[in-house]
Amino acid sequence: MTLLKLTGITKSFGSVDVLHGVDLTVRKGEVVGLVGDNGAGKSTLMKTITGIYRADAGAVELDGQDILPLDPGARRQLGIEMIYQDLSLAKQQDVASNIFLGREPTVKLFGFIPGFVDKGAMNRQAQQMIERLGARLPALNRPVGSFSGGQQQTVAIARALTFNPKLVIMDEPTAALAVREVQGVLDLIRRLRSEGIAVILISHRLNDVLAVTDRIVVLRHGRAAADLTTAETGMNEVVASIVGGGDTSAAAAHEQQG
Amino acid sequence: MIADGTQSNPWTRAQRACVESLHIRLESLVVLIGLAAVMTVLSPYFLSLSNLLNILLATSTIGVLAISATFVLGAGGLDLSIGSVMGLAGVVGALVAVNLNWPWPLAVLACLLAGAAAGNINGQLVTRAFVPAFIVTLGMLGLARGLALVISNGRAIYGLPSAMVYIGQGRPFGIPMPVIIFVVTALLAHCVLAYTRFGRHTLALGDSEGAARAAGIRVAHHSRIIYTLSGALAGLAGLLFTARVNAGDPTAGLNYELTAITAAIIGGTNLFGGRASILGTIIGALIMGVLQNGLTLMAVQSYYQQMAIGAVLILAVFIDQYQVRRESRV
């Protein structure tokens, strides 16, 4: 069942064309790796899915519904979550504030003045989510800027998963992590798949991509240069697609070791 | 699992509890009480009821401006024009009441609308024309002051209707009206900033614009609301001042932005956004009020008071930055 369907996406910034008509489909509960060299357009493509960027041309459909005109907030409500590489956390705010940012539960003050944030409910649910992830945080009421990198990532992941997403986009989630933490993230991706949540994984760490994805889409010069089934491909083919032919055995061997 | 792994001494714990439950910095409260104690020792008049009401009265105009500064700074912006906009709003209100001879509620409304309009222009220029807030509001500082002088021919406008003067000079139950208006405004502003979605989004925007945008907050729209609100509050300050002195004075509010921003920062508002508290700002404004009042009681020349305000501003930012650097090193 097709969850997300991109057709002919183009995007340029001034005179720089970044995407030249990209097609991409993601099925329900599928893990798709999105790889490509720096500047291939991976981040731009993802931002056209979340709505941070508006595609110049092309269509974006979620569950058959055209979501191109929707802003990031509306797309989030439909179930598209993204974990950015910079994590996009408000560093001076606490854990619950970050998890619920833009979606705070509200109560009516004295029963009739609306718009007041239900901080108690926020803290309870934040705590549950952190515990469900099996993560350790110093304290819920501390600014997240005082946490370590891995702990901040936990907050970002908890934020993405709290509102029952259909699709989670992860931009380099393992790039800055210690070895053991990487396995934790990969396990989490597998768990999301088993719960029927689709994942798009952007990564330069091809071993991680080969280990956890069902399909690998290679972006090159703003086009989807290859669409490979992970079970039927290997490091050589992926690396060759990324750099665009030539003798890539040395590069592939190097990646294999990593 | 949530575990508090850091050891903390009683002072740190008290600080944290104070920030979490009351949204104020313990240090600013200590400074205010200490300052009041010193003044009490130095001047026998300080603790008298009439003098305390005087301090509150003198603080009310600056206090409303400081609330405005708290919202804008908390949202990661800057509004240097609030002092000038306050002057412009007062003149506009006086013109409507005196020259046009319209009923006083319209004059009151004119003050607020003139302020909101100036603030909205600031917001439009910052978010649509992408001119830095520092430049836009510095420009508005000149524009609003100039306009106030032009429409009043550079002279104060006298003869306000008595209902309007009551807003500035009336004393129901012995409490000056400006003090009542200031306290009500402050409590409302505190609830909005600390407990509503609007307030949380404001601080998130000041903390990280990228995070706010990714969370689906319409950041440009939100910024425009903040600048408009800032202008409207400056308009309210203009109304209080005009009503109190019974004249639309085009030079009213000169340099008040300096005191207002200082009060906000003493109260714990981060100069670069993301952290702000109205209750803290009130304490900051009271510190400025007590300082000025005490220096006056001790017959210190007012020129020195200007110097004191400037020095306190730099000192407050220094202490704030020192603490941020120390915490981030942990």
Side-chain angles (χ1 to χ4, degrees):
Chain A
M1 200 180 98
T2 303
L3 176 70
L4 178 80
K5 187 175 182 199
L6 305 184
T7 0
I9 299 292
T10 66
K11 178 71 187 173
S12 50
F13 297 97
S15 60
V16 183
D17 297 331
V18 180
L19 301 175
H20 308 262
V22 180
D23 298 339
L24 176 71
T25 56
V26 178
R27 284 184 287 277
K28 189 170 179 294
E30 186 182 32
V31 180
V32 176
L34 187 69
V35 299
D37 240 328
N38 292 335
K42 303 186 296 287
S43 294
T44 306
L45 183 64
M46 291 306 106
K47 285 179 179 173
T48 63
I49 298 177
T50 59
I52 298 281
Y53 294 154
R54 182 71 56 89
D56 297 335
V60 183
E61 289 176 14
L62 186 78
D63 278 334
Q65 181 195 353
D66 177 23
I67 59 167
L68 196 63
L70 302 182
D71 66 26
R75 294 189 194 195
R76 236 176 138 197
Q77 284 187 347
L78 290 176
I80 298 178
E81 288 285 344
M82 175 148 182
I83 301 168
Y84 292 90
Q85 192 173 4
D86 68 1
L87 301 179
S88 280
L89 295 172
K91 299 272 170 94
Q92 294 174 75
Q93 321 301 324
D94 64 17
V95 176
S97 299
N98 269 286
I99 288 179
F100 287 89
L101 184 56
R103 303 180 285 202
E104 298 85 352
T106 56
V107 288
K108 285 187 173 148
L109 190 69
F110 309 127
F112 65 95
I113 308 174
F116 278 77
V117 170
D118 190 350
K119 185 74 174 140
M122 271 169 64
N123 280 335
R124 273 196 308 280
Q125 291 178 41
Q127 174 126 21
Q128 281 169 7
M129 183 49 77
I130 298 294
E131 277 167 8
R132 209 185 104 190
L133 292 175
R136 287 184 68 86
L137 291 182
L140 275 181
N141 54 10
R142 210 67 66 71
V144 298
S146 64
F147 292 174
S148 76
Q151 290 166 343
Q152 292 190 22
Q153 182 138 32
T154 302
V155 178
I157 291 174
R159 177 174 60 186
L161 300 185
T162 298
F163 288 85
N164 302 318
K166 291 175 184 164
L167 170 69
V168 177
I169 303 169
M170 298 187 181
D171 190 1
E172 298 282 0
T174 54
L177 294 185
V179 177
R180 193 180 306 182
E181 291 175 316
V182 170
Q183 288 307 320
V185 170
L186 297 184
D187 284 343
L188 181 73
I189 292 174
R190 293 188 187 103
R191 198 156 90 215
L192 294 180
R193 172 170 52 195
S194 71
E195 290 176 19
I197 300 168
V199 176
I200 297 179
L201 171 67
I202 304 176
S203 185
H204 277 104
R205 296 172 65 140
L206 298 179
N207 281 319
D208 296 350
V209 175
L210 284 164
V212 79
T213 58
D214 301 311
R215 209 147 54 80
I216 300 174
V217 173
V218 181
L219 270 195
R220 191 152 59 85
H221 301 319
R223 285 196 177 80
D227 190 340
L228 311 164
T229 304
T230 308
E232 298 162 6
T233 189
M235 188 62 82
N236 270 318
E237 194 179 5
V238 174
V239 172
S241 305
I242 291 174
V243 298
D247 183 14
T248 58
S249 54
H254 177 76
E255 287 292 335
Q256 202 91 56
Q257 288 163 5
Chain B
M1 199 175 298
I2 312 295
D4 199 336
T6 52
Q7 284 105 32
S8 47
N9 58 41
W11 172 252
T12 327
R13 274 206 303 274
Q15 267 181 323
R16 209 166 269 153
C18 209
V19 168
E20 275 160 21
S21 60
L22 294 171
H23 302 269
I24 54 176
R25 293 207 140 190
L26 196 52
E27 298 95 317
S28 57
L29 204 55
V30 170
V31 168
L32 176 61
I33 294 168
L35 201 59
V38 170
M39 294 304 175
T40 309
V41 172
L42 289 180
S43 165
Y45 305 106
F46 180 81
L47 260 192
S48 66
L49 184 64
S50 69
N51 187 53
L52 290 181
L53 279 178
N54 258 339
I55 293 175
L56 283 174
L57 184 58
T59 306
S60 53
T61 309
I62 276 295
V64 171
L65 280 188
I67 292 168
S68 152
T70 307
F71 272 100
V72 178
L73 291 175
L78 178 67
D79 191 348
L80 296 173
S81 69
I82 44 178
S84 294
V85 170
M86 167 188 155
L88 173 64
V91 168
V92 168
L95 271 176
V96 168
V98 178
N99 295 32
L100 297 179
N101 207 9
W102 287 1
W104 68 269
L106 287 180
V108 167
L109 199 61
C111 285
L112 302 180
L113 285 181
N120 189 260
I121 292 170
N122 284 336
Q124 300 288 350
L125 288 170
V126 170
T127 58
R128 291 193 206 273
F130 303 103
V131 183
F134 177 81
I135 296 301
V136 167
T137 60
L138 189 62
M140 183 57 74
L141 179 145
L143 279 167
R145 180 68 65 201
L147 186 60
L149 289 162
V150 167
I151 60 177
S152 64
N153 282 322
R155 287 188 297 271
I157 301 163
Y158 296 98
L160 297 177
S162 59
M164 211 164 152
V165 176
Y166 185 81
I167 293 174
Q169 299 181 356
R171 284 182 178 245
F173 312 110
I175 306 168
M177 274 295 280
V179 174
I180 296 172
I181 293 172
F182 165 52
V183 169
V184 169
T185 308
L187 288 179
L188 280 176
H190 175 71
C191 288
V192 168
L193 187 60
Y195 303 118
T196 66
R197 298 187 72 198
F198 179 85
R200 291 195 163 262
H201 295 177
T202 301
L203 295 181
L205 170 61
D207 200 330
S208 161
E209 199 182 317
R213 182 173 287 121
I217 297 167
R218 295 152 69 202
V219 295
H221 177 75
H222 199 97
S223 289
R224 286 192 288 276
I225 295 179
I226 291 289
Y227 279 104
T228 308
L229 178 69
S230 167
L233 284 167
L236 177 61
L239 169 68
L240 294 182
F241 187 89
T242 299
R244 181 152 65 90
V245 301
N246 192 5
D249 179 359
T251 62
L254 201 63
N255 295 336
Y256 274 28
E257 62 280 343
L258 174 65
T259 317
I261 290 172
T262 306
I265 289 178
I266 292 176
T269 296
N270 184 352
L271 180 60
F272 307 106
R275 172 165 47 78
S277 146
I278 300 292
L279 291 186
T281 293
I282 294 169
I283 293 175
L286 285 175
I287 289 175
M288 303 306 286
V290 169
L291 193 63
Q292 283 181 322
N293 179 266
L295 293 173
T296 307
L297 283 183
M298 287 183 281
V300 177
Q301 235 184 3
S302 66
Y303 308 133
Y304 289 106
Q305 296 182 14
Q306 281 267 356
M307 292 176 66
I309 295 170
V312 167
L313 173 62
I314 295 173
L315 186 68
V317 174
F318 166 74
I319 293 172
D320 190 49
Q321 288 301 306
Y322 175 77
Q323 289 196 334
V324 168
R325 281 157 54 98
R326 202 184 51 180
E327 280 164 20
S328 65
R329 221 174 282 152
V330 171

PDB file of all heavy atoms in Angstrom, chain B residues 30-50:
ATOM      1  N   VAL B  30      16.515  38.982  45.682  1.00  0.00           N
ATOM      2  CA  VAL B  30      17.476  39.318  46.731  1.00  0.00           C
ATOM      3  C   VAL B  30      18.012  40.731  46.533  1.00  0.00           C
ATOM      4  O   VAL B  30      18.114  41.512  47.486  1.00  0.00           O
ATOM      5  CB  VAL B  30      18.634  38.282  46.739  1.00  0.00           C
ATOM      6  CG1 VAL B  30      19.763  38.752  47.647  1.00  0.00           C
ATOM      7  CG2 VAL B  30      18.126  36.924  47.168  1.00  0.00           C
ATOM      8  N   VAL B  31      18.321  41.076  45.278  1.00  0.00           N
ATOM      9  CA  VAL B  31      18.837  42.420  44.988  1.00  0.00           C
ATOM     10  C   VAL B  31      17.794  43.469  45.358  1.00  0.00           C
ATOM     11  O   VAL B  31      18.105  44.486  45.987  1.00  0.00           O
ATOM     12  CB  VAL B  31      19.227  42.548  43.494  1.00  0.00           C
ATOM     13  CG1 VAL B  31      19.479  44.008  43.130  1.00  0.00           C
ATOM     14  CG2 VAL B  31      20.466  41.721  43.208  1.00  0.00           C
ATOM     15  N   LEU B  32      16.515  43.212  44.993  1.00  0.00           N
ATOM     16  CA  LEU B  32      15.454  44.180  45.290  1.00  0.00           C
ATOM     17  C   LEU B  32      15.324  44.398  46.797  1.00  0.00           C
ATOM     18  O   LEU B  32      15.285  45.544  47.270  1.00  0.00           O
ATOM     19  CB  LEU B  32      14.121  43.692  44.714  1.00  0.00           C
ATOM     20  CG  LEU B  32      12.900  44.571  45.030  1.00  0.00           C
ATOM     21  CD1 LEU B  32      13.083  45.965  44.465  1.00  0.00           C
ATOM     22  CD2 LEU B  32      11.622  43.942  44.489  1.00  0.00           C
ATOM     23  N   ILE B  33      15.283  43.293  47.558  1.00  0.00           N
ATOM     24  CA  ILE B  33      15.129  43.414  49.014  1.00  0.00           C
ATOM     25  C   ILE B  33      16.354  44.089  49.618  1.00  0.00           C
ATOM     26  O   ILE B  33      16.243  44.978  50.480  1.00  0.00           O
ATOM     27  CB  ILE B  33      14.894  42.023  49.641  1.00  0.00           C
ATOM     28  CG1 ILE B  33      13.532  41.479  49.164  1.00  0.00           C
ATOM     29  CG2 ILE B  33      14.941  42.089  51.163  1.00  0.00           C
ATOM     30  CD1 ILE B  33      13.313  40.026  49.473  1.00  0.00           C
ATOM     31  N   GLY B  34      17.539  43.701  49.142  1.00  0.00           N
ATOM     32  CA  GLY B  34      18.776  44.302  49.649  1.00  0.00           C
ATOM     33  C   GLY B  34      18.813  45.793  49.383  1.00  0.00           C
ATOM     34  O   GLY B  34      19.144  46.605  50.267  1.00  0.00           O
ATOM     35  N   LEU B  35      18.423  46.160  48.157  1.00  0.00           N
ATOM     36  CA  LEU B  35      18.423  47.573  47.774  1.00  0.00           C
ATOM     37  C   LEU B  35      17.446  48.366  48.648  1.00  0.00           C
ATOM     38  O   LEU B  35      17.761  49.456  49.140  1.00  0.00           O
ATOM     39  CB  LEU B  35      18.021  47.683  46.298  1.00  0.00           C
ATOM     40  CG  LEU B  35      18.393  48.945  45.532  1.00  0.00           C
ATOM     41  CD1 LEU B  35      19.894  49.153  45.547  1.00  0.00           C
ATOM     42  CD2 LEU B  35      17.896  48.843  44.101  1.00  0.00           C
ATOM     43  N   ALA B  36      16.256  47.779  48.864  1.00  0.00           N
ATOM     44  CA  ALA B  36      15.255  48.446  49.703  1.00  0.00           C
ATOM     45  C   ALA B  36      15.787  48.597  51.129  1.00  0.00           C
ATOM     46  O   ALA B  36      15.581  49.640  51.777  1.00  0.00           O
ATOM     47  CB  ALA B  36      13.952  47.650  49.693  1.00  0.00           C
ATOM     48  N   ALA B  37      16.484  47.585  51.635  1.00  0.00           N
ATOM     49  CA  ALA B  37      17.040  47.652  52.993  1.00  0.00           C
ATOM     50  C   ALA B  37      18.058  48.782  53.096  1.00  0.00           C
ATOM     51  O   ALA B  37      18.047  49.567  54.055  1.00  0.00           O
ATOM     52  CB  ALA B  37      17.689  46.314  53.357  1.00  0.00           C
ATOM     53  N   VAL B  38      18.923  48.877  52.098  1.00  0.00           N
ATOM     54  CA  VAL B  38      19.937  49.935  52.102  1.00  0.00           C
ATOM     55  C   VAL B  38      19.265  51.311  52.098  1.00  0.00           C
ATOM     56  O   VAL B  38      19.635  52.209  52.862  1.00  0.00           O
ATOM     57  CB  VAL B  38      20.879  49.779  50.881  1.00  0.00           C
ATOM     58  CG1 VAL B  38      21.780  51.004  50.728  1.00  0.00           C
ATOM     59  CG2 VAL B  38      21.721  48.519  51.023  1.00  0.00           C
ATOM     60  N   MET B  39      18.248  51.456  51.236  1.00  0.00           N
ATOM     61  CA  MET B  39      17.552  52.743  51.140  1.00  0.00           C
ATOM     62  C   MET B  39      16.871  53.100  52.460  1.00  0.00           C
ATOM     63  O   MET B  39      16.830  54.267  52.847  1.00  0.00           O
ATOM     64  CB  MET B  39      16.499  52.700  50.022  1.00  0.00           C
ATOM     65  CG  MET B  39      17.084  52.552  48.634  1.00  0.00           C
ATOM     66  SD  MET B  39      18.274  53.854  48.233  1.00  0.00           S
ATOM     67  CE  MET B  39      18.857  53.301  46.639  1.00  0.00           C
ATOM     68  N   THR B  40      16.320  52.072  53.123  1.00  0.00           N
ATOM     69  CA  THR B  40      15.646  52.311  54.399  1.00  0.00           C
ATOM     70  C   THR B  40      16.625  52.871  55.429  1.00  0.00           C
ATOM     71  O   THR B  40      16.303  53.776  56.198  1.00  0.00           O
ATOM     72  CB  THR B  40      15.042  50.998  54.930  1.00  0.00           C
ATOM     73  OG1 THR B  40      14.279  50.415  53.891  1.00  0.00           O
ATOM     74  CG2 THR B  40      14.167  51.243  56.144  1.00  0.00           C
ATOM     75  N   VAL B  41      17.834  52.313  55.427  1.00  0.00           N
ATOM     76  CA  VAL B  41      18.852  52.771  56.360  1.00  0.00           C
ATOM     77  C   VAL B  41      19.293  54.188  56.001  1.00  0.00           C
ATOM     78  O   VAL B  41      19.457  55.051  56.866  1.00  0.00           O
ATOM     79  CB  VAL B  41      20.059  51.799  56.360  1.00  0.00           C
ATOM     80  CG1 VAL B  41      21.206  52.384  57.179  1.00  0.00           C
ATOM     81  CG2 VAL B  41      19.643  50.444  56.890  1.00  0.00           C
ATOM     82  N   LEU B  42      19.455  54.447  54.681  1.00  0.00           N
ATOM     83  CA  LEU B  42      20.010  55.724  54.253  1.00  0.00           C
ATOM     84  C   LEU B  42      19.012  56.873  54.348  1.00  0.00           C
ATOM     85  O   LEU B  42      19.380  58.020  54.542  1.00  0.00           O
ATOM     86  CB  LEU B  42      20.540  55.614  52.820  1.00  0.00           C
ATOM     87  CG  LEU B  42      21.811  54.767  52.657  1.00  0.00           C
ATOM     88  CD1 LEU B  42      22.241  54.727  51.199  1.00  0.00           C
ATOM     89  CD2 LEU B  42      22.949  55.324  53.508  1.00  0.00           C
ATOM     90  N   SER B  43      17.711  56.557  54.142  1.00  0.00           N
ATOM     91  CA  SER B  43      16.738  57.642  54.148  1.00  0.00           C
ATOM     92  C   SER B  43      15.544  57.296  55.026  1.00  0.00           C
ATOM     93  O   SER B  43      14.916  56.252  54.835  1.00  0.00           O
ATOM     94  CB  SER B  43      16.266  57.937  52.722  1.00  0.00           C
ATOM     95  OG  SER B  43      15.105  58.728  52.775  1.00  0.00           O
ATOM     96  N   PRO B  44      15.178  58.157  55.962  1.00  0.00           N
ATOM     97  CA  PRO B  44      14.044  57.885  56.854  1.00  0.00           C
ATOM     98  C   PRO B  44      12.709  57.925  56.113  1.00  0.00           C
ATOM     99  O   PRO B  44      11.732  57.372  56.585  1.00  0.00           O
ATOM    100  CB  PRO B  44      14.118  59.020  57.880  1.00  0.00           C
ATOM    101  CG  PRO B  44      14.893  60.097  57.204  1.00  0.00           C
ATOM    102  CD  PRO B  44      15.847  59.419  56.274  1.00  0.00           C
ATOM    103  N   TYR B  45      12.688  58.562  54.937  1.00  0.00           N
ATOM    104  CA  TYR B  45      11.411  58.696  54.221  1.00  0.00           C
ATOM    105  C   TYR B  45      11.078  57.478  53.376  1.00  0.00           C
ATOM    106  O   TYR B  45       9.963  57.320  52.933  1.00  0.00           O
ATOM    107  CB  TYR B  45      11.448  59.934  53.305  1.00  0.00           C
ATOM    108  CG  TYR B  45      11.800  61.185  54.041  1.00  0.00           C
ATOM    109  CD1 TYR B  45      13.054  61.767  53.907  1.00  0.00           C
ATOM    110  CD2 TYR B  45      10.862  61.792  54.895  1.00  0.00           C
ATOM    111  CE1 TYR B  45      13.380  62.910  54.602  1.00  0.00           C
ATOM    112  CE2 TYR B  45      11.188  62.930  55.586  1.00  0.00           C
ATOM    113  CZ  TYR B  45      12.447  63.488  55.436  1.00  0.00           C
ATOM    114  OH  TYR B  45      12.765  64.624  56.118  1.00  0.00           O
ATOM    115  N   PHE B  46      12.096  56.634  53.118  1.00  0.00           N
ATOM    116  CA  PHE B  46      11.927  55.588  52.110  1.00  0.00           C
ATOM    117  C   PHE B  46      10.742  54.684  52.392  1.00  0.00           C
ATOM    118  O   PHE B  46       9.928  54.395  51.539  1.00  0.00           O
ATOM    119  CB  PHE B  46      13.208  54.754  51.980  1.00  0.00           C
ATOM    120  CG  PHE B  46      13.085  53.659  50.949  1.00  0.00           C
ATOM    121  CD1 PHE B  46      13.239  53.937  49.598  1.00  0.00           C
ATOM    122  CD2 PHE B  46      12.785  52.362  51.329  1.00  0.00           C
ATOM    123  CE1 PHE B  46      13.095  52.943  48.659  1.00  0.00           C
ATOM    124  CE2 PHE B  46      12.629  51.364  50.381  1.00  0.00           C
ATOM    125  CZ  PHE B  46      12.786  51.659  49.052  1.00  0.00           C
ATOM    126  N   LEU B  47      10.621  54.215  53.651  1.00  0.00           N
ATOM    127  CA  LEU B  47       9.618  53.197  53.953  1.00  0.00           C
ATOM    128  C   LEU B  47       8.211  53.767  54.183  1.00  0.00           C
ATOM    129  O   LEU B  47       7.296  53.016  54.472  1.00  0.00           O
ATOM    130  CB  LEU B  47      10.050  52.373  55.169  1.00  0.00           C
ATOM    131  CG  LEU B  47      10.682  51.011  54.853  1.00  0.00           C
ATOM    132  CD1 LEU B  47      10.807  50.174  56.102  1.00  0.00           C
ATOM    133  CD2 LEU B  47       9.934  50.256  53.768  1.00  0.00           C
ATOM    134  N   SER B  48       8.023  55.078  54.064  1.00  0.00           N
ATOM    135  CA  SER B  48       6.687  55.626  54.292  1.00  0.00           C
ATOM    136  C   SER B  48       5.748  55.173  53.181  1.00  0.00           C
ATOM    137  O   SER B  48       6.166  54.949  52.038  1.00  0.00           O
ATOM    138  CB  SER B  48       6.750  57.155  54.326  1.00  0.00           C
ATOM    139  OG  SER B  48       7.112  57.639  53.051  1.00  0.00           O
ATOM    140  N   LEU B  49       4.458  55.034  53.544  1.00  0.00           N
ATOM    141  CA  LEU B  49       3.471  54.526  52.586  1.00  0.00           C
ATOM    142  C   LEU B  49       3.414  55.413  51.342  1.00  0.00           C
ATOM    143  O   LEU B  49       3.364  54.929  50.217  1.00  0.00           O
ATOM    144  CB  LEU B  49       2.097  54.447  53.252  1.00  0.00           C
ATOM    145  CG  LEU B  49       1.000  53.841  52.383  1.00  0.00           C
ATOM    146  CD1 LEU B  49       1.298  52.387  52.066  1.00  0.00           C
ATOM    147  CD2 LEU B  49      -0.359  53.989  53.056  1.00  0.00           C
ATOM    148  N   SER B  50       3.454  56.727  51.576  1.00  0.00           N
ATOM    149  CA  SER B  50       3.324  57.620  50.430  1.00  0.00           C
ATOM    150  C   SER B  50       4.518  57.470  49.493  1.00  0.00           C
ATOM    151  O   SER B  50       4.384  57.538  48.279  1.00  0.00           O
ATOM    152  CB  SER B  50       3.183  59.067  50.901  1.00  0.00           C
ATOM    153  OG  SER B  50       4.388  59.511  51.474  1.00  0.00           O
TER     154      SER B  50
END
